Amino acid sequence: MEISTLTAYHCLLFVWYFFLIYAIAHVRAEERPSEVFLYGGQWKYLTILNLVLQAVFYGVSFLADVLRLIKKLRCAKCIISSRDLLFSVLAFPVSTFVSISFWILYTYNRELVYPKSLDAVIPLWLNHAMHTAVLPFAVLEILATPHHYPAKKKGLILLGCAFFLYTGWVLWIYSVTGEWVYPLFALFNPAGLVAFFAGSLGVIITFYNFGEFLNRMIWGQSKFCF
């Protein structure tokens, strides 16, 4: 993709995700189901955190494109390194995990992840913007431009740290409120919960490897070219 086209594309997606964050943050308080928006507010949900993550990623990508357009290559190289690390370790695997896991659980029993009471608050288009569109956008990003993946050990350590930070946040909320972020977790005993979290980590690592595989199949092992 031409750099000018890529710049416009990344700018549009940055604005899009910023708009989604604005839209979900301004859901009218009086209409919010009391059992959903308690301690931690919207920031306890991986879906919302992923929107912030995607906005940051596309903002960084847009900045890198602008620096390339104005020939600030030394600065661009640094920003591109940050962009690629952010995409490979977080933006692609998390968006893939959010989309696929949400719709599998929604199809099985929506009350486990997205109570029906939310339909009166969050319109259908916003639900799909948060849980459906994030996946094709992530795949399109791989098709649009090459990304240099870190060494496998480094990438998985960073991904694991992010996973355990979010898991810790979920457990902290439960310790304070006695309520799980997602009703799904209430179905498990402690051993089952550990197994579920371990399985989730395995799945998100699989998505990390899948993103790396796609990037390699499309772009090969070559470094980013200025």
Side-chain angles (χ1 to χ4, degrees):
M1 187 180 291
E2 293 291 332
I3 183 60
S4 57
T5 305
L6 194 62
T7 303
Y9 171 72
H10 285 148
C11 181
L12 285 173
L13 281 182
F14 169 69
V15 172
W16 168 246
Y17 279 110
F18 188 85
F19 167 72
L20 292 182
I21 295 168
Y22 177 86
I24 197 67
H26 286 77
V27 170
R28 285 179 291 180
E30 67 273 12
E31 295 183 355
R32 297 175 181 178
S34 59
E35 74 275 13
V36 175
F37 298 100
L38 293 172
Y39 185 88
Q42 298 160 336
W43 308 110
K44 60 187 175 183
Y45 298 109
L46 187 59
T47 294
I48 307 303
L49 296 177
N50 182 56
L51 294 181
V52 176
L53 170 63
Q54 300 303 318
V56 171
F57 166 71
Y58 285 107
V60 172
S61 297
F62 174 62
L63 176 59
D65 296 336
V66 170
L67 290 173
R68 291 175 65 201
L69 278 174
I70 63 177
K71 307 300 182 182
K72 299 290 186 179
L73 300 186
R74 181 175 297 180
C75 294
K77 185 175 181 180
C78 179
I79 299 299
I80 287 170
S81 296
S82 300
R83 179 204 69 182
D84 289 349
L85 187 65
L86 189 60
F87 179 77
S88 60
V89 173
L90 292 176
F92 182 84
V94 173
S95 60
T96 306
F97 181 82
V98 164
S99 183
I100 292 178
S101 62
F102 174 83
W103 287 113
I104 288 175
L105 292 170
Y106 184 98
T107 301
Y108 173 71
N109 182 357
R110 66 169 297 175
E111 294 298 320
L112 298 177
V113 291
Y114 194 84
K116 191 172 179 62
S117 56
L118 285 176
D119 288 345
V121 181
I122 300 176
L124 183 62
W125 72 264
L126 185 53
N127 181 20
H128 281 292
M130 295 188 298
H131 295 115
T132 306
V134 291
L135 180 54
F137 282 147
V139 174
L140 185 57
E141 176 63 22
I142 291 182
L143 297 174
T145 187
H147 295 85
H148 178 63
Y149 272 65
K152 181 63 66 71
K153 182 178 180 180
K154 177 182 178 181
L156 293 182
I157 287 175
L158 292 174
L159 177 60
C161 287
F163 178 86
F164 286 115
L165 279 174
Y166 180 69
T167 301
W169 174 227
V170 168
L171 295 175
W172 171 258
I173 291 172
Y174 178 74
S175 72
V176 172
T177 67
E179 299 289 336
W180 288 109
V181 172
Y182 298 103
L184 170 69
F185 297 154
L187 300 179
F188 300 107
N189 58 28
L193 200 60
V194 170
F196 177 83
F197 284 135
S200 297
L201 178 58
V203 169
I204 203 167
I205 287 174
T206 299
F207 292 148
Y208 171 92
N209 290 326
F210 179 63
E212 184 178 31
F213 169 78
L214 283 180
N215 186 76
R216 185 173 63 250
M217 289 295 294
I218 295 169
W219 300 104
Q221 297 286 3
S222 60
K223 303 285 186 178
F224 187 90
C225 180
F226 292 96

